[in-house]
Amino acid sequence: MIEYRLNGPASQERQRIRLMAALRENRFPQSILIDGPAGIGKKALAIEVAKALQCSDPNMRPCGHCFGCKMAVDRGVTDNWVIPMESKEAHAKSADDVSAGSTAKTVEDFKQAYIEEIFKNPYRIDVFSAGAEISVGLIRSMTSAFALKGDRVRVVIVAEADRMNDSASNAFLKTLEDVPPNTYFILTTSSREKMLQTIRSRCLALHLLPLSDDEVRSETLRMLGEDADADEVTDDAVGLSVGSPGKALYYVGAGKKWCELAATFVKGSLLADYYDLFAKLSEAELDEAAEANRFLEVVSFLISDLMRAKSGAKLRIPATTALVNIDAFPRVDVAALERALETVQETMSRVASRRTAPPMLLQSLSIKLFEGCK
Ligand SMILES: [Zn+2]
């Protein structure tokens, strides 16, 4: 009997046991949908499963060195992936259509660059831009590759499957209704509610759990590389990650700036010091909805921590929370902080709706935030 061993963090062992049992008993479903928060390792698991399905070792799969295993992690094999792309990239010419000697980038070039990023670090949450989507053209080029017959097992990973637009969803649904032999689909998403119910119902659902704080620490440190210092993975980054090494990595790097700005925002709102605050906000260039909401997420963590500080509970983001001396504002009690948190959440949904520019919404949020208790 062939044994299967999928590798990954201990917190996600239960989900892997389910998959290994299905592989061992030769009843692996044709399509699975791995969902869970951003940056917890859904793509990493998808790659592990792709190797196991394509592996031809007679004893232990994935073996890591047979042809099937190598194909699953070959950065040049773009057929195995469907990924979101920006419109101008998805509309670039295909390698089959460009004349010899052309130096223009093809759709395959763009795709390969993204796939390389995924292999370098499957946990990363910012590989694709906010506007990237899976268009019907990308689904069609996947199905046209199916025409090339072969006996080998084919695994297609559809990354961030919720980014399929309407026509792509419909085209993909047709593919799922009639899956070619020896073909498996692994879809990943952190927003399964945005996907067509008819697609979801055709996939085995696998809900991946967040990692423990210790696992987040060790995974994030591993991603930072050999030269990294353990202190780089701060308590605040781990606190903000909520079990996602991808998020922790973001808060160790590009997202670090949001912590300081969140403290400035809350302090400025408490002191009604809007002149300086608005200047800082405009410097931060929060015009993009996705960026603005990443910032507001940190603001809501900070306000939750200020509530914890009032009750003496353990803080999630101690360094950022210490920047706001909440004891200096005795009128701001737990009820006021609860209201403030609700106001932030309302603003986040208004930012997401994209009807008003984020900088405007942030300014009016700071005025409303502690209304009546300053
Ligand atoms: Zn193998």
Side-chain angles (χ1 to χ4, degrees), residues 51 55-57 62-66 68-69:
K51 280 198 286 185
C55 183
S56 55
D57 192 273
C63 69
H65 47 73
C66 72
C69 282

Side-chain angles (χ1 to χ4, degrees), residues 277-323:
L277 178 56
F278 290 179
K280 289 250 165 59
L281 283 175
S282 101
E283 268 170 42
E285 294 182 16
L286 286 156
D287 304 293
E288 273 218 26
E291 287 282 276
N293 268 353
R294 278 184 180 151
F295 163 64
L296 285 175
E297 200 176 45
V298 180
V299 173
S300 58
F301 263 86
L302 173 54
I303 295 173
S304 304
D305 243 14
L306 294 174
M307 286 197 262
R308 289 190 194 99
K310 291 262 178 197
S311 64
K314 188 172 182 287
L315 304 179
R316 288 292 290 177
I317 49 169
T320 307
T321 306
L323 296 174

Side-chain angles (χ1 to χ4, degrees), residues 244-263:
S244 158
K247 279 199 171 174
L249 189 71
Y250 171 74
Y251 287 116
V252 166
K256 208 190 232 168
K257 60 186 175 202
W258 301 138
C259 290
E260 206 186 317
L261 188 64

Side-chain angles (χ1 to χ4, degrees), residues 71-212:
M71 286 288 277
V73 293
D74 186 329
R75 288 142 205 237
V77 182
T78 56
D79 284 357
N80 291 0
W81 288 84
V82 176
I83 54 161
M85 290 171 90
E86 283 178 26
S87 164
K88 63 175 190 305
E89 298 165 342
H91 285 105
K93 278 194 172 167
S94 163
D96 299 334
D97 301 332
V98 294
S99 49
S102 163
T103 53
K105 274 197 173 180
T106 63
V107 60
E108 289 85 358
D109 292 333
F110 286 118
K111 197 174 168 187
Q112 191 176 337
Y114 283 119
I115 292 170
E116 269 185 41
E117 290 302 315
I118 294 170
F119 276 117
K120 252 189 246 163
N121 183 357
Y123 285 109
R124 247 182 74 183
I125 58 167
D126 52 0
V127 173
F128 306 114
S129 67
E133 61 171 25
I134 298 174
S135 63
V136 69
L138 294 172
I139 299 293
R140 289 208 183 107
S141 64
M142 166 191 78
T143 46
S144 69
F146 291 164
L148 309 166
K149 286 218 178 70
D151 303 334
R152 288 196 322 101
V153 171
R154 185 203 310 272
V155 182
V156 178
I157 299 175
V158 185
E160 310 200 4
D162 53 279
R163 297 207 200 201
M164 277 189 240
N165 64 22
D166 289 349
S167 44
S169 294
N170 288 320
F172 186 70
L173 182 60
K174 284 214 179 70
T175 313
L176 281 187
E177 283 166 350
D178 187 18
V179 177
N182 279 335
T183 303
Y184 296 90
F185 291 104
I186 307 170
L187 286 67
T188 73
T189 179
S190 44
S191 320
R192 72 190 302 272
E193 70 289 347
K194 288 189 194 154
M195 295 174 58
L196 277 189
Q197 170 59 29
T198 38
I199 291 182
R200 289 185 309 196
S201 65
R202 283 179 182 275
C203 302
L204 173 89
L206 196 79
H207 185 67
L208 213 53
L209 297 176
L211 277 60
S212 69

